[in-house]
Amino acid sequence: MLRRDFSKLRSHNPRLQLLRASLHIISGWSAYHSFTQIPLANFYTVGFLGPLIIALMAWVVYRERPTRRTWLALALGFIGMLIIVRPDTLPINDGSLLAFVWIIMGAVNVMFVRQLPKDHTNT
């Protein structure tokens, strides 16, 4: 008889996994509802803030100072996002705020993944 190995399904840190799942639920809910209120192109353009938010959070939380090259790439990405979105034409409404919630929850989730051990199945 074939035995199944379920050891890979167990988490080393179930509280962290539960927190990550909760963040995914909040992120998915906010993304879904922002789709109905802002254009899809603007929604995904706000998503390009992800690397900037992750780099800033890594600097604050883990004391990882980005290199000049990284800062330059992040600045160019941010300027490109501003050019595409044109803040003067994007009204700040519930949809745009929910898009920011989506990207911030995604960045926090990435930070939590870094807390998992290297041999964890989710990494």
Side-chain angles (χ1 to χ4, degrees), residues 32-95:
Y32 176 77
H33 286 289
S34 68
F35 282 154
T36 62
Q37 299 176 13
I38 63 174
L40 190 59
N42 288 352
F43 173 79
Y44 279 111
T45 304
V46 169
F48 292 133
L49 285 175
L52 178 64
I53 293 171
I54 291 170
L56 291 174
M57 288 176 65
W59 188 20
V60 171
V61 175
Y62 297 118
R63 302 289 183 219
E64 292 180 1
R65 188 167 173 84
T67 63
R68 288 182 190 190
R69 190 175 182 179
T70 303
W71 279 120
L72 178 65
L74 291 172
L76 289 173
F78 183 72
I79 291 169
M81 188 269 317
L82 287 178
I83 290 170
I84 293 171
V85 171
R86 293 184 312 273
D88 58 328
T89 63
L90 178 66
I92 301 298
N93 58 14
D94 292 341

